[in-house]
Amino acid sequence: MTQHVVIAGGGIGGLACALALARAGVSVDLLEQAGALGEVGAGLQLGPNAV
């Protein structure tokens, strides 16, 4: 039986989840409200202890 997952939201979490599931062989539909993906001024920082 083939698994199929729908993910609502193409932010960093949604994209990471979709990529991980696709690599695991799961069929994924990623839904995003925005017409195009782009920068919104937010960033992701990793402190010295995280790296």
Side-chain angles (χ1 to χ4, degrees):
M1 183 166 94
T2 303
Q3 292 181 333
H4 184 82
V5 175
V6 177
I7 299 172
I12 192 167
L15 291 173
C17 184
L19 181 60
L21 288 170
R23 286 184 176 178
V26 177
S27 175
V28 178
D29 281 338
L30 179 64
L31 306 177
E32 173 55 46
Q33 178 180 344
L37 297 177
E39 294 182 29
V40 293
L44 179 66
Q45 290 184 319
L46 298 174
N49 293 337
V51 295

